[in-house]
Amino acid sequence: MKKFSSVFMACVMSVGLLLTGCGQTAQQPAAQQGQQEQAGTTTPETPAVDSTPVTAVGSTAIQPLAEQAAKLFMEKNPGAQIQVQGGGSGTGLSQVSGGAATVGNSDIFAEEKKGIPAAELVDHKVAVVGMVAAANPQVGVDNLTKDQLVGIFTGKITNWKEVGGADQKITLVNRPKSSGTRATFIKFALGGAEEAEGITEDSSGTVRKIIAETPGAIGYLGTSYINESVKGLKLDGVEATVENITTNTYPVWAYQHMYTKGEPTGTAKAFLEFMASDDVKKIITELGYIPGDEMKVERDAEGKITQK
Amino acid sequence: MNQVERSTVVGSQSVPQQHGKSSADRSEIHRKLLTPNKSHMFGDLSGRVITLLCAGLLIVVTLSITYFIASKGIATFAFDGVSLSEFLSSSKWDPEDEPAQFGAFSYILGSFIVTVIAALIAAPLGIGAAIFMTEIAPNFGKKVLKPVVELLVGIPSVVYGYVGLTLLVPLIRDSFNVLGFSLLAGGIVLSIMILPTVTSVATDAIETVSQDLRNASLALGATRWQTIWNVVLHSAMPGCLTAVVLGMARAFGEALAVQMVIGNTTKLPGSLLDPTSTLTSGITLNMGNTIPGTAYNNALWSMGLLLLIMSFLFIVLIRILGRKKMV
């Protein structure tokens, strides 16, 4: 009897706690909205930060950048809560359009994914990443023409000696069919040609490990993943340097998008503005990405290039 | 209520003092045992309700997961116009193409082959270890082998996959002069993963074989090995088969470790040394990139439904095996 009543008491108390908790969260945003309005009248450039948690979900390619930026943002704005999660571009886009996440991270345009109401989403291009065809260092090739690259990835060229390299069988390392990285590479490096089947891995780290360890392997990686274990190949003699990418001389690059449903407000707005600040630009460059405003060209969802 | 409680209190005080001395007390105890005790009844009732809730929750969760996966998985065929026979028998998988193609046969075949390889390797090893542990060296088995096998259970599948990727794939590449990512690599990694399941279930099965059977066999003049082989293993056969099927069920559903070593090529394998995909690796690689509600995403759910149906079949098989008695 006693036990039961104590259990009952515990239940009552926990419900009570829950209720007070709810009351607090319900009150806080109202109070902060007042603050926000005040702040809005004095300094319109910096939106007020409140404690409403902001979740940024999606592309694992932006995740390290978003995590570091969120950490710095929370240091500078005590009380702000930004949670960064992976899950893939599709997850990010569907969660932000469904309202489950505040920010949806994606490495492709929302327009490129079927089933996403792209018109409802507002695009924030936070960075640009170049993609490089990367090969095992022993293939003896450091430049490929576009035709050769297409030949290799469509399975027509099967030995490195056909493109002037070592007598070694070519092994393709692909991304899954649904991957944004794969979509970008097919569109801008292969001119839309469909890849032949090969080893398929989703994570850039695993792809690099496989290319480095498998003789004759070729795949593609973000420029930030190129190190001494794999060889980044030039395309038509053009290297994937920052200058070449910003002028679109090297055409294989993609925006890293952060989507919000409608115009962002509150913390989300402040965070997205922070993503374009000099502090984050430093992180962007350190991680091997290119800050969006350094681009001298602009590309839309259809892939059309305009000079800025 | 008050009366009963009071009398209970009186009774409990009086019993220790005059224990077994008078028949009056004995009838008091008798009365207490026969009168319903409200607080005990309440305890009984609440216990029953709580356990019923637990059991009910379990059933509701299982049914709703089944319903959810089934409704998502069937949508591929009901709404997206994919034919079931194409899904099960075609090996053309190109969901982003126009028109999209959803032939999951290479995934299905890949899943089955790695499972069979894993069972073929793990069954003799696991049952052999179980015989050693129970019949040949029970002391050493209990003190050393059993903890070691249990340790294998605790290793996360991503670690198995990483070890496979780092050691097994290069080993296969160098010894056969192939890519390394292969059905064989997947099967070997899985066989190590299911070894503890097979071993421990087989050990239990062999332990339940009656000692009388062993004694009778030895008394007839059979050697120790003849006894083990013809009598013990024979009577433990359904249990050992259950062990293997349980292991296969686990192997069939394993995703991460296989994904890291199988290569994930959506193509029918020409040999055991060729890369291919499994249902689970197909789901994990594409899940995050597809949009819920699209045909591509639904097709992944259909693959999940197929996995669920397979695990039901494995369970049915285990039930049938469990009913069989060899002695």
Side-chain angles (χ1 to χ4, degrees), chain A residues 231-278:
Chain A
K231 185 186 249 171
L233 302 180
K234 286 182 213 158
L235 177 60
D236 283 326
V238 182
E239 208 177 329
T241 56
V242 175
E243 296 80 47
N244 288 338
I245 291 170
T246 51
T247 53
N248 199 40
T249 319
Y250 183 85
V252 195
W253 52 271
Y255 287 114
Q256 304 291 301
H257 308 264
M258 283 189 166
Y259 280 99
T260 51
K261 192 176 188 180
E263 286 296 337
T265 52
T267 314
K269 184 169 191 217
F271 178 59
L272 287 166
E273 277 169 15
F274 180 70
M275 289 302 292
S277 69
D278 286 340

mmCIF file of all heavy atoms in Angstrom, chain A residues 231-278:
data_model
loop_
_atom_site.group_PDB
_atom_site.id
_atom_site.type_symbol
_atom_site.label_atom_id
_atom_site.label_comp_id
_atom_site.label_asym_id
_atom_site.label_seq_id
_atom_site.Cartn_x
_atom_site.Cartn_y
_atom_site.Cartn_z
ATOM 1 N N LYS A 231 45.421 10.646 -55.212
ATOM 2 C CA LYS A 231 45.881 11.687 -56.121
ATOM 3 C C LYS A 231 44.691 12.382 -56.785
ATOM 4 O O LYS A 231 43.878 11.729 -57.435
ATOM 5 C CB LYS A 231 46.764 11.039 -57.195
ATOM 6 C CG LYS A 231 47.409 12.038 -58.125
ATOM 7 C CD LYS A 231 48.118 11.307 -59.229
ATOM 8 C CE LYS A 231 49.613 11.468 -59.067
ATOM 9 N NZ LYS A 231 50.340 10.600 -59.977
ATOM 10 N N GLY A 232 44.579 13.688 -56.562
ATOM 11 C CA GLY A 232 43.526 14.458 -57.222
ATOM 12 C C GLY A 232 43.920 14.704 -58.671
ATOM 13 O O GLY A 232 45.011 15.212 -58.947
ATOM 14 N N LEU A 233 43.063 14.322 -59.601
ATOM 15 C CA LEU A 233 43.426 14.433 -61.015
ATOM 16 C C LEU A 233 42.966 15.767 -61.590
ATOM 17 O O LEU A 233 41.904 16.275 -61.237
ATOM 18 C CB LEU A 233 42.778 13.300 -61.811
ATOM 19 C CG LEU A 233 43.127 11.882 -61.378
ATOM 20 C CD1 LEU A 233 42.401 10.874 -62.251
ATOM 21 C CD2 LEU A 233 44.628 11.646 -61.449
ATOM 22 N N LYS A 234 43.794 16.314 -62.492
ATOM 23 C CA LYS A 234 43.376 17.518 -63.213
ATOM 24 C C LYS A 234 42.358 17.121 -64.276
ATOM 25 O O LYS A 234 42.421 16.014 -64.827
ATOM 26 C CB LYS A 234 44.579 18.167 -63.898
ATOM 27 C CG LYS A 234 45.500 18.871 -62.928
ATOM 28 C CD LYS A 234 46.633 19.519 -63.710
ATOM 29 C CE LYS A 234 47.894 19.496 -62.888
ATOM 30 N NZ LYS A 234 49.101 19.620 -63.686
ATOM 31 N N LEU A 235 41.454 18.027 -64.549
ATOM 32 C CA LEU A 235 40.454 17.755 -65.581
ATOM 33 C C LEU A 235 40.740 18.690 -66.748
ATOM 34 O O LEU A 235 40.714 19.912 -66.591
ATOM 35 C CB LEU A 235 39.046 18.007 -65.008
ATOM 36 C CG LEU A 235 37.872 17.839 -65.960
ATOM 37 C CD1 LEU A 235 37.812 16.431 -66.509
ATOM 38 C CD2 LEU A 235 36.573 18.184 -65.237
ATOM 39 N N ASP A 236 41.032 18.133 -67.916
ATOM 40 C CA ASP A 236 41.422 18.928 -69.087
ATOM 41 C C ASP A 236 42.569 19.868 -68.747
ATOM 42 O O ASP A 236 42.602 21.015 -69.203
ATOM 43 C CB ASP A 236 40.235 19.745 -69.620
ATOM 44 C CG ASP A 236 39.257 18.883 -70.410
ATOM 45 O OD1 ASP A 236 39.722 17.931 -71.075
ATOM 46 O OD2 ASP A 236 38.049 19.161 -70.348
ATOM 47 N N GLY A 237 43.476 19.414 -67.907
ATOM 48 C CA GLY A 237 44.636 20.222 -67.548
ATOM 49 C C GLY A 237 44.363 21.271 -66.490
ATOM 50 O O GLY A 237 45.270 22.005 -66.105
ATOM 51 N N VAL A 238 43.147 21.371 -66.007
ATOM 52 C CA VAL A 238 42.825 22.386 -65.005
ATOM 53 C C VAL A 238 42.786 21.736 -63.629
ATOM 54 O O VAL A 238 42.125 20.714 -63.426
ATOM 55 C CB VAL A 238 41.460 23.049 -65.306
ATOM 56 C CG1 VAL A 238 41.166 24.137 -64.290
ATOM 57 C CG2 VAL A 238 41.430 23.587 -66.715
ATOM 58 N N GLU A 239 43.497 22.357 -62.703
ATOM 59 C CA GLU A 239 43.519 21.823 -61.355
ATOM 60 C C GLU A 239 42.379 22.434 -60.539
ATOM 61 O O GLU A 239 41.956 23.558 -60.795
ATOM 62 C CB GLU A 239 44.862 22.168 -60.704
ATOM 63 C CG GLU A 239 45.281 21.180 -59.653
ATOM 64 C CD GLU A 239 46.653 21.521 -59.086
ATOM 65 O OE1 GLU A 239 47.494 22.093 -59.822
ATOM 66 O OE2 GLU A 239 46.868 21.243 -57.902
ATOM 67 N N ALA A 240 41.890 21.680 -59.549
ATOM 68 C CA ALA A 240 40.760 22.169 -58.749
ATOM 69 C C ALA A 240 41.242 23.105 -57.647
ATOM 70 O O ALA A 240 41.097 22.827 -56.468
ATOM 71 C CB ALA A 240 39.997 20.991 -58.154
ATOM 72 N N THR A 241 41.811 24.243 -58.056
ATOM 73 C CA THR A 241 42.260 25.203 -57.053
ATOM 74 C C THR A 241 41.127 26.193 -56.755
ATOM 75 O O THR A 241 40.147 26.266 -57.499
ATOM 76 C CB THR A 241 43.468 26.006 -57.561
ATOM 77 O OG1 THR A 241 43.068 26.624 -58.794
ATOM 78 C CG2 THR A 241 44.655 25.127 -57.810
ATOM 79 N N VAL A 242 41.305 26.964 -55.693
ATOM 80 C CA VAL A 242 40.275 27.937 -55.322
ATOM 81 C C VAL A 242 40.041 28.920 -56.464
ATOM 82 O O VAL A 242 38.889 29.197 -56.834
ATOM 83 C CB VAL A 242 40.695 28.682 -54.038
ATOM 84 C CG1 VAL A 242 39.704 29.786 -53.716
ATOM 85 C CG2 VAL A 242 40.794 27.704 -52.882
ATOM 86 N N GLU A 243 41.146 29.441 -57.099
ATOM 87 C CA GLU A 243 40.981 30.421 -58.187
ATOM 88 C C GLU A 243 40.194 29.820 -59.338
ATOM 89 O O GLU A 243 39.275 30.444 -59.877
ATOM 90 C CB GLU A 243 42.342 30.889 -58.726
ATOM 91 C CG GLU A 243 43.210 31.639 -57.738
ATOM 92 C CD GLU A 243 43.922 30.684 -56.799
ATOM 93 O OE1 GLU A 243 44.491 29.695 -57.288
ATOM 94 O OE2 GLU A 243 43.880 30.916 -55.580
ATOM 95 N N ASN A 244 40.547 28.577 -59.714
ATOM 96 C CA ASN A 244 39.875 27.958 -60.854
ATOM 97 C C ASN A 244 38.408 27.671 -60.573
ATOM 98 O O ASN A 244 37.580 27.733 -61.483
ATOM 99 C CB ASN A 244 40.592 26.658 -61.242
ATOM 100 C CG ASN A 244 41.930 26.950 -61.900
ATOM 101 O OD1 ASN A 244 42.143 28.045 -62.430
ATOM 102 N ND2 ASN A 244 42.825 25.985 -61.841
ATOM 103 N N ILE A 245 38.102 27.360 -59.317
ATOM 104 C CA ILE A 245 36.702 27.065 -58.996
ATOM 105 C C ILE A 245 35.891 28.364 -58.945
ATOM 106 O O ILE A 245 34.793 28.431 -59.492
ATOM 107 C CB ILE A 245 36.595 26.290 -57.666
ATOM 108 C CG1 ILE A 245 37.163 24.882 -57.835
ATOM 109 C CG2 ILE A 245 35.141 26.187 -57.206
ATOM 110 C CD1 ILE A 245 37.320 24.113 -56.558
ATOM 111 N N THR A 246 36.457 29.411 -58.341
ATOM 112 C CA THR A 246 35.679 30.653 -58.206
ATOM 113 C C THR A 246 35.362 31.263 -59.565
ATOM 114 O O THR A 246 34.369 31.952 -59.723
ATOM 115 C CB THR A 246 36.417 31.701 -57.350
ATOM 116 O OG1 THR A 246 37.738 31.855 -57.861
ATOM 117 C CG2 THR A 246 36.464 31.298 -55.897
ATOM 118 N N THR A 247 36.197 30.993 -60.572
ATOM 119 C CA THR A 247 35.910 31.543 -61.896
ATOM 120 C C THR A 247 35.190 30.532 -62.783
ATOM 121 O O THR A 247 34.930 30.802 -63.952
ATOM 122 C CB THR A 247 37.217 31.947 -62.596
ATOM 123 O OG1 THR A 247 38.090 30.809 -62.569
ATOM 124 C CG2 THR A 247 37.883 33.112 -61.904
ATOM 125 N N ASN A 248 34.911 29.343 -62.231
ATOM 126 C CA ASN A 248 34.262 28.265 -62.969
ATOM 127 C C ASN A 248 35.151 27.708 -64.091
ATOM 128 O O ASN A 248 34.672 26.994 -64.961
ATOM 129 C CB ASN A 248 32.904 28.707 -63.537
ATOM 130 C CG ASN A 248 32.030 27.505 -63.896
ATOM 131 O OD1 ASN A 248 32.004 26.527 -63.154
ATOM 132 N ND2 ASN A 248 31.354 27.568 -65.027
ATOM 133 N N THR A 249 36.464 28.037 -64.074
ATOM 134 C CA THR A 249 37.377 27.412 -65.030
ATOM 135 C C THR A 249 37.410 25.912 -64.752
ATOM 136 O O THR A 249 37.498 25.090 -65.657
ATOM 137 C CB THR A 249 38.796 27.994 -64.884
ATOM 138 O OG1 THR A 249 38.679 29.393 -64.701
ATOM 139 C CG2 THR A 249 39.651 27.704 -66.085
ATOM 140 N N TYR A 250 37.364 25.561 -63.456
ATOM 141 C CA TYR A 250 37.176 24.160 -63.063
ATOM 142 C C TYR A 250 35.700 24.021 -62.698
ATOM 143 O O TYR A 250 35.243 24.589 -61.713
ATOM 144 C CB TYR A 250 38.080 23.818 -61.871
ATOM 145 C CG TYR A 250 37.988 22.362 -61.467
ATOM 146 C CD1 TYR A 250 38.773 21.398 -62.101
ATOM 147 C CD2 TYR A 250 37.107 21.955 -60.484
ATOM 148 C CE1 TYR A 250 38.671 20.063 -61.749
ATOM 149 C CE2 TYR A 250 36.999 20.620 -60.132
ATOM 150 C CZ TYR A 250 37.791 19.675 -60.763
ATOM 151 O OH TYR A 250 37.683 18.362 -60.425
ATOM 152 N N PRO A 251 34.925 23.287 -63.505
ATOM 153 C CA PRO A 251 33.463 23.368 -63.381
ATOM 154 C C PRO A 251 32.821 22.424 -62.379
ATOM 155 O O PRO A 251 31.622 22.505 -62.165
ATOM 156 C CB PRO A 251 33.010 23.000 -64.797
ATOM 157 C CG PRO A 251 34.070 22.076 -65.296
ATOM 158 C CD PRO A 251 35.363 22.457 -64.628
ATOM 159 N N VAL A 252 33.610 21.502 -61.785
ATOM 160 C CA VAL A 252 32.970 20.498 -60.930
ATOM 161 C C VAL A 252 32.952 20.987 -59.482
ATOM 162 O O VAL A 252 33.887 20.766 -58.719
ATOM 163 C CB VAL A 252 33.688 19.137 -61.021
ATOM 164 C CG1 VAL A 252 32.802 18.054 -60.427
ATOM 165 C CG2 VAL A 252 34.031 18.822 -62.447
ATOM 166 N N TRP A 253 31.932 21.707 -59.126
ATOM 167 C CA TRP A 253 31.785 22.183 -57.753
ATOM 168 C C TRP A 253 30.308 22.251 -57.414
ATOM 169 O O TRP A 253 29.458 22.210 -58.298
ATOM 170 C CB TRP A 253 32.437 23.558 -57.559
ATOM 171 C CG TRP A 253 32.017 24.603 -58.559
ATOM 172 C CD1 TRP A 253 32.603 24.853 -59.761
ATOM 173 C CD2 TRP A 253 30.924 25.520 -58.454
ATOM 174 N NE1 TRP A 253 31.951 25.869 -60.423
ATOM 175 C CE2 TRP A 253 30.915 26.298 -59.635
ATOM 176 C CE3 TRP A 253 29.955 25.779 -57.481
ATOM 177 C CZ2 TRP A 253 29.978 27.300 -59.868
ATOM 178 C CZ3 TRP A 253 29.018 26.773 -57.710
ATOM 179 C CH2 TRP A 253 29.041 27.533 -58.894
ATOM 180 N N ALA A 254 30.003 22.333 -56.132
ATOM 181 C CA ALA A 254 28.599 22.384 -55.714
ATOM 182 C C ALA A 254 28.464 23.335 -54.544
ATOM 183 O O ALA A 254 29.397 23.510 -53.764
ATOM 184 C CB ALA A 254 28.122 20.991 -55.311
ATOM 185 N N TYR A 255 27.305 23.942 -54.461
ATOM 186 C CA TYR A 255 26.998 24.763 -53.288
ATOM 187 C C TYR A 255 26.663 23.849 -52.117
ATOM 188 O O TYR A 255 26.131 22.759 -52.291
ATOM 189 C CB TYR A 255 25.778 25.648 -53.549
ATOM 190 C CG TYR A 255 26.010 26.800 -54.484
ATOM 191 C CD1 TYR A 255 25.390 26.846 -55.720
ATOM 192 C CD2 TYR A 255 26.828 27.861 -54.105
ATOM 193 C CE1 TYR A 255 25.574 27.907 -56.580
ATOM 194 C CE2 TYR A 255 27.016 28.932 -54.970
ATOM 195 C CZ TYR A 255 26.390 28.957 -56.208
ATOM 196 O OH TYR A 255 26.586 30.008 -57.041
ATOM 197 N N GLN A 256 26.966 24.329 -50.929
ATOM 198 C CA GLN A 256 26.462 23.686 -49.727
ATOM 199 C C GLN A 256 25.307 24.564 -49.252
ATOM 200 O O GLN A 256 25.515 25.718 -48.891
ATOM 201 C CB GLN A 256 27.557 23.596 -48.668
ATOM 202 C CG GLN A 256 28.804 22.870 -49.162
ATOM 203 C CD GLN A 256 28.565 21.390 -49.368
ATOM 204 O OE1 GLN A 256 28.207 20.678 -48.450
ATOM 205 N NE2 GLN A 256 28.747 20.931 -50.601
ATOM 206 N N HIS A 257 24.107 24.024 -49.294
ATOM 207 C CA HIS A 257 22.930 24.836 -48.999
ATOM 208 C C HIS A 257 22.452 24.616 -47.574
ATOM 209 O O HIS A 257 22.549 23.525 -47.033
ATOM 210 C CB HIS A 257 21.759 24.433 -49.904
ATOM 211 C CG HIS A 257 22.085 24.401 -51.361
ATOM 212 N ND1 HIS A 257 21.829 25.446 -52.200
ATOM 213 C CD2 HIS A 257 22.655 23.450 -52.127
ATOM 214 C CE1 HIS A 257 22.205 25.130 -53.433
ATOM 215 N NE2 HIS A 257 22.727 23.916 -53.409
ATOM 216 N N MET A 258 21.927 25.705 -46.994
ATOM 217 C CA MET A 258 21.144 25.551 -45.768
ATOM 218 C C MET A 258 19.772 26.116 -46.086
ATOM 219 O O MET A 258 19.632 27.307 -46.354
ATOM 220 C CB MET A 258 21.787 26.320 -44.619
ATOM 221 C CG MET A 258 23.008 25.621 -44.037
ATOM 222 S SD MET A 258 23.553 26.439 -42.549
ATOM 223 C CE MET A 258 24.657 25.204 -41.893
ATOM 224 N N TYR A 259 18.771 25.249 -46.057
ATOM 225 C CA TYR A 259 17.414 25.670 -46.408
ATOM 226 C C TYR A 259 16.595 25.946 -45.155
ATOM 227 O O TYR A 259 16.733 25.257 -44.156
ATOM 228 C CB TYR A 259 16.713 24.586 -47.217
ATOM 229 C CG TYR A 259 17.094 24.576 -48.684
ATOM 230 C CD1 TYR A 259 18.043 23.686 -49.174
ATOM 231 C CD2 TYR A 259 16.506 25.469 -49.568
ATOM 232 C CE1 TYR A 259 18.391 23.683 -50.513
ATOM 233 C CE2 TYR A 259 16.846 25.469 -50.909
ATOM 234 C CZ TYR A 259 17.784 24.576 -51.376
ATOM 235 O OH TYR A 259 18.121 24.571 -52.706
ATOM 236 N N THR A 260 15.747 26.998 -45.235
ATOM 237 C CA THR A 260 14.748 27.192 -44.191
ATOM 238 C C THR A 260 13.394 27.231 -44.871
ATOM 239 O O THR A 260 13.285 27.548 -46.049
ATOM 240 C CB THR A 260 14.959 28.518 -43.438
ATOM 241 O OG1 THR A 260 15.079 29.583 -44.396
ATOM 242 C CG2 THR A 260 16.198 28.470 -42.579
ATOM 243 N N LYS A 261 12.362 26.906 -44.080
ATOM 244 C CA LYS A 261 11.006 26.975 -44.631
ATOM 245 C C LYS A 261 10.537 28.409 -44.450
ATOM 246 O O LYS A 261 10.328 28.860 -43.331
ATOM 247 C CB LYS A 261 10.089 26.002 -43.901
ATOM 248 C CG LYS A 261 8.772 25.830 -44.608
ATOM 249 C CD LYS A 261 7.929 24.791 -43.897
ATOM 250 C CE LYS A 261 6.702 24.482 -44.733
ATOM 251 N NZ LYS A 261 5.872 23.480 -44.085
ATOM 252 N N GLY A 262 10.416 29.144 -45.516
ATOM 253 C CA GLY A 262 10.115 30.569 -45.425
ATOM 254 C C GLY A 262 11.339 31.311 -44.931
ATOM 255 O O GLY A 262 12.392 30.704 -44.687
ATOM 256 N N GLU A 263 11.239 32.626 -44.786
ATOM 257 C CA GLU A 263 12.380 33.391 -44.292
ATOM 258 C C GLU A 263 12.647 33.016 -42.838
ATOM 259 O O GLU A 263 11.712 32.861 -42.055
ATOM 260 C CB GLU A 263 12.093 34.894 -44.404
ATOM 261 C CG GLU A 263 12.168 35.443 -45.828
ATOM 262 C CD GLU A 263 13.570 35.352 -46.448
ATOM 263 O OE1 GLU A 263 14.550 35.279 -45.668
ATOM 264 O OE2 GLU A 263 13.692 35.325 -47.678
ATOM 265 N N PRO A 264 13.916 32.847 -42.464
ATOM 266 C CA PRO A 264 14.212 32.458 -41.080
ATOM 267 C C PRO A 264 13.925 33.613 -40.109
ATOM 268 O O PRO A 264 13.967 34.777 -40.488
ATOM 269 C CB PRO A 264 15.693 32.139 -41.116
ATOM 270 C CG PRO A 264 16.222 32.935 -42.258
ATOM 271 C CD PRO A 264 15.116 33.009 -43.272
ATOM 272 N N THR A 265 13.650 33.234 -38.852
ATOM 273 C CA THR A 265 13.434 34.248 -37.820
ATOM 274 C C THR A 265 14.282 33.886 -36.608
ATOM 275 O O THR A 265 14.782 32.776 -36.502
ATOM 276 C CB THR A 265 11.958 34.278 -37.372
ATOM 277 O OG1 THR A 265 11.589 32.934 -37.029
ATOM 278 C CG2 THR A 265 11.042 34.812 -38.451
ATOM 279 N N GLY A 266 14.422 34.832 -35.701
ATOM 280 C CA GLY A 266 15.058 34.584 -34.408
ATOM 281 C C GLY A 266 16.455 34.016 -34.533
ATOM 282 O O GLY A 266 17.272 34.465 -35.347
ATOM 283 N N THR A 267 16.713 32.979 -33.724
ATOM 284 C CA THR A 267 18.046 32.391 -33.671
ATOM 285 C C THR A 267 18.480 31.859 -35.033
ATOM 286 O O THR A 267 19.633 32.008 -35.427
ATOM 287 C CB THR A 267 18.064 31.228 -32.667
ATOM 288 O OG1 THR A 267 17.402 31.643 -31.483
ATOM 289 C CG2 THR A 267 19.477 30.821 -32.342
ATOM 290 N N ALA A 268 17.535 31.245 -35.748
ATOM 291 C CA ALA A 268 17.890 30.674 -37.042
ATOM 292 C C ALA A 268 18.403 31.758 -37.975
ATOM 293 O O ALA A 268 19.396 31.575 -38.693
ATOM 294 C CB ALA A 268 16.672 29.984 -37.657
ATOM 295 N N LYS A 269 17.747 32.917 -37.956
ATOM 296 C CA LYS A 269 18.167 34.030 -38.804
ATOM 297 C C LYS A 269 19.565 34.497 -38.401
ATOM 298 O O LYS A 269 20.451 34.664 -39.241
ATOM 299 C CB LYS A 269 17.160 35.169 -38.670
ATOM 300 C CG LYS A 269 17.471 36.322 -39.587
ATOM 301 C CD LYS A 269 16.321 37.306 -39.637
ATOM 302 C CE LYS A 269 16.593 38.282 -40.765
ATOM 303 N NZ LYS A 269 16.186 39.610 -40.491
ATOM 304 N N ALA A 270 19.740 34.654 -37.075
ATOM 305 C CA ALA A 270 21.043 35.094 -36.584
ATOM 306 C C ALA A 270 22.126 34.101 -36.975
ATOM 307 O O ALA A 270 23.223 34.475 -37.396
ATOM 308 C CB ALA A 270 20.986 35.252 -35.068
ATOM 309 N N PHE A 271 21.808 32.809 -36.859
ATOM 310 C CA PHE A 271 22.804 31.775 -37.158
ATOM 311 C C PHE A 271 23.159 31.782 -38.640
ATOM 312 O O PHE A 271 24.330 31.703 -39.014
ATOM 313 C CB PHE A 271 22.260 30.411 -36.737
ATOM 314 C CG PHE A 271 23.192 29.269 -37.040
ATOM 315 C CD1 PHE A 271 24.466 29.234 -36.493
ATOM 316 C CD2 PHE A 271 22.808 28.238 -37.885
ATOM 317 C CE1 PHE A 271 25.338 28.188 -36.767
ATOM 318 C CE2 PHE A 271 23.672 27.195 -38.170
ATOM 319 C CZ PHE A 271 24.931 27.174 -37.610
ATOM 320 N N LEU A 272 22.156 31.913 -39.504
ATOM 321 C CA LEU A 272 22.428 31.906 -40.934
ATOM 322 C C LEU A 272 23.221 33.148 -41.348
ATOM 323 O O LEU A 272 24.064 33.085 -42.240
ATOM 324 C CB LEU A 272 21.128 31.788 -41.723
ATOM 325 C CG LEU A 272 20.535 30.374 -41.639
ATOM 326 C CD1 LEU A 272 19.106 30.344 -42.113
ATOM 327 C CD2 LEU A 272 21.384 29.390 -42.438
ATOM 328 N N GLU A 273 22.949 34.278 -40.674
ATOM 329 C CA GLU A 273 23.758 35.466 -40.960
ATOM 330 C C GLU A 273 25.184 35.283 -40.471
ATOM 331 O O GLU A 273 26.145 35.710 -41.104
ATOM 332 C CB GLU A 273 23.122 36.708 -40.318
ATOM 333 C CG GLU A 273 22.030 37.262 -41.208
ATOM 334 C CD GLU A 273 21.187 38.317 -40.520
ATOM 335 O OE1 GLU A 273 21.619 38.817 -39.460
ATOM 336 O OE2 GLU A 273 20.112 38.632 -41.043
ATOM 337 N N PHE A 274 25.297 34.587 -39.329
ATOM 338 C CA PHE A 274 26.615 34.291 -38.778
ATOM 339 C C PHE A 274 27.412 33.402 -39.734
ATOM 340 O O PHE A 274 28.631 33.525 -39.841
ATOM 341 C CB PHE A 274 26.437 33.598 -37.420
ATOM 342 C CG PHE A 274 27.720 33.236 -36.734
ATOM 343 C CD1 PHE A 274 28.542 34.224 -36.207
ATOM 344 C CD2 PHE A 274 28.097 31.902 -36.595
ATOM 345 C CE1 PHE A 274 29.719 33.883 -35.566
ATOM 346 C CE2 PHE A 274 29.277 31.570 -35.957
ATOM 347 C CZ PHE A 274 30.085 32.566 -35.443
ATOM 348 N N MET A 275 26.725 32.518 -40.461
ATOM 349 C CA MET A 275 27.400 31.629 -41.411
ATOM 350 C C MET A 275 28.111 32.415 -42.505
ATOM 351 O O MET A 275 29.030 31.919 -43.147
ATOM 352 C CB MET A 275 26.398 30.671 -42.080
ATOM 353 C CG MET A 275 25.821 29.585 -41.189
ATOM 354 S SD MET A 275 27.010 28.490 -40.421
ATOM 355 C CE MET A 275 27.649 27.579 -41.812
ATOM 356 N N ALA A 276 27.668 33.663 -42.746
ATOM 357 C CA ALA A 276 28.301 34.480 -43.780
ATOM 358 C C ALA A 276 29.329 35.445 -43.193
ATOM 359 O O ALA A 276 29.905 36.261 -43.906
ATOM 360 C CB ALA A 276 27.233 35.251 -44.542
ATOM 361 N N SER A 277 29.567 35.340 -41.870
ATOM 362 C CA SER A 277 30.489 36.280 -41.228
ATOM 363 C C SER A 277 31.943 35.872 -41.447
ATOM 364 O O SER A 277 32.239 34.766 -41.897
ATOM 365 C CB SER A 277 30.194 36.335 -39.735
ATOM 366 O OG SER A 277 30.561 35.095 -39.161
ATOM 367 N N ASP A 278 32.846 36.790 -41.104
ATOM 368 C CA ASP A 278 34.271 36.521 -41.297
ATOM 369 C C ASP A 278 34.756 35.369 -40.423
ATOM 370 O O ASP A 278 35.635 34.607 -40.815
ATOM 371 C CB ASP A 278 35.083 37.785 -40.986
ATOM 372 C CG ASP A 278 34.927 38.803 -42.107
ATOM 373 O OD1 ASP A 278 34.537 38.390 -43.222
ATOM 374 O OD2 ASP A 278 35.180 40.001 -41.850
#
